[in-house]
Amino acid sequence: QDPFEADTQLRQTGGGFRRRAWRRLRIWEVGSNLGDCSFLTAALLSPWGSKQPTPLAEVDIVAFEPHPSTVAAWKRSASALVTRLSGSRGSSLQHWRPPKLKVRSLALSDFVGELRLGVPPHSLAESTSHECDFGASQGYHHPCRFITAETSTVD
């Protein structure tokens, strides 16, 4: 039997049934942007309707995104997702908790300090630490605005 599947079932003990013990999944999404991967994972592993009435796992996600306006959008989306998933909790899921979703306004790098990021004029969520002159190869010039992002290492 698959151990992941076993963790999602009620287990009988000598005195009756023990509360559900779901596997906890911890994820870091580095360069999260708008959080597509984080939110898809949280939604797919949580209970939703009659097709998946119980969660596949409890999810703790920490996203790392240096762009301030993208972090703000990420937080709004996370709040909306947790609110929606909390509303789908039935009485059989009394011990289940919605995903923990957190974003850190930080760029992970090989050094601690600050990094200059170029933000293209056409994008809310895109940024780059490389040369930032979009359209130069096509003969027109779209200079980026620049922001400074805090950096940290994983260790």
Side-chain angles (χ1 to χ4, degrees), residues 10 15 24 31 39 41 51 68 71 75-76 88 105 123 131 142:
L10 282 174
R24 176 162 288 134
F39 302 142
T41 300
K51 302 234 185 225
V71 169
K75 287 178 179 179
R76 288 190 303 273
S88 67
S105 186
S123 177
E131 185 60 37
H142 291 284

Side-chain angles (χ1 to χ4, degrees), residues 65-72 105-106 117-119 123-127 145 147 149:
E65 173 56 45
H67 193 298
S69 61
T70 307
V71 169
S105 186
L106 183 69
L117 294 176
V119 180
S123 177
L124 165 72
E126 186 179 359
S127 60
R145 65 182 175 87
I147 62 173

Side-chain angles (χ1 to χ4, degrees), residues 15-144:
F17 286 96
R18 193 174 68 149
R19 68 172 274 215
R20 292 181 188 259
W22 290 287
R23 170 175 274 176
R24 176 162 288 134
L25 182 62
R26 292 182 178 100
I27 299 171
W28 281 12
E29 185 180 7
V30 178
S32 177
N33 202 281
L34 293 171
D36 300 359
C37 296
S38 294
F39 302 142
L40 180 63
T41 300
L44 290 176
L45 295 177
S46 297
W48 44 273
S50 61
K51 302 234 185 225
Q52 184 171 302
T54 59
L56 299 178
E58 284 188 343
V59 181
D60 296 338
I61 296 176
V62 178
F64 297 89
E65 173 56 45
H67 193 298
S69 61
T70 307
V71 169
W74 197 102
K75 287 178 179 179
R76 288 190 303 273
S77 296
S79 176
L81 177 62
V82 169
T83 298
R84 177 157 176 110
L85 292 174
S86 297
S88 67
R89 181 188 338 198
S91 59
S92 63
L93 298 174
Q94 63 189 15
H95 297 292
W96 176 76
R97 64 155 176 82
K100 288 183 181 176
L101 303 171
K102 179 179 180 179
V103 64
R104 298 215 34 218
S105 186
L106 183 69
L108 292 185
S109 183
D110 59 349
F111 67 93
V112 175
E114 292 182 339
L115 179 66
R116 184 174 185 235
L117 294 176
V119 180
H122 65 274
S123 177
L124 165 72
E126 186 179 359
S127 60
T128 180
S129 61
H130 300 289
E131 185 60 37
C132 191
D133 188 7
F134 289 85
S137 63
Q138 288 82 28
Y140 55 94
H141 177 70
H142 291 284
C144 291

